[in-house]
Amino acid sequence: LQKLYARVKQFDGVIIETTGLADPAPVVQTFFIDDDIKTKYRLDSVITVVDAKRILPRLAEEKPEGVENEAVEQVAFADLILLNKTDLAKDTELDD
């Protein structure tokens, strides 16, 4: 983000993507804890893309004590949830 800031005037915004089931907390915290980043950037929103066919089983997964369910974390942090692969899901899965 520091290197990108030199070119930031060319952008309307910056999108940061974490791949797979990553915990969004460290990324989000950067915008509130790091004073330099906080003065240069403003976190507008957190958008999570979820697999419509697989999200419910992922949310229901029980993890060992002390291990976070990353799918739950992503949904909890999200301001907006985009359903992906809805064409592969059954209507009953989409209704849930």
Side-chain angles (χ1 to χ4, degrees):
L1 287 174
Q2 298 294 358
K3 291 179 184 178
L4 181 62
Y5 188 74
R7 302 181 321 187
V8 81
K9 292 178 184 175
Q10 300 172 17
F11 301 105
D12 292 330
V14 177
I15 296 173
I16 300 171
E17 176 191 11
T18 59
T19 58
L21 287 173
D23 182 358
V27 176
V28 171
Q29 287 174 347
T30 300
F31 290 90
F32 299 106
I33 293 174
D34 187 308
D35 289 333
D36 199 34
I37 297 295
K38 189 167 44 173
T39 60
K40 294 177 179 175
Y41 294 93
R42 177 182 61 86
L43 180 64
D44 181 58
S45 60
V46 176
I47 301 170
T48 297
V49 179
V50 298
D51 183 325
K53 185 163 181 66
R54 293 186 170 83
I55 188 59
L56 291 178
R58 297 269 188 204
L59 292 172
E61 283 181 2
E62 292 197 26
K63 301 288 184 173
E65 188 172 330
V67 176
E68 298 294 331
N69 181 327
E70 291 87 357
V72 171
E73 292 292 310
Q74 287 183 347
V75 168
F77 269 88
D79 297 302
L80 177 68
I81 299 169
L82 296 176
L83 289 177
N84 189 20
K85 301 181 184 178
T86 56
D87 58 321
L88 302 177
K90 297 176 185 170
D91 288 340
T92 55
E93 293 170 318
L94 294 175
D95 290 341
D96 289 342

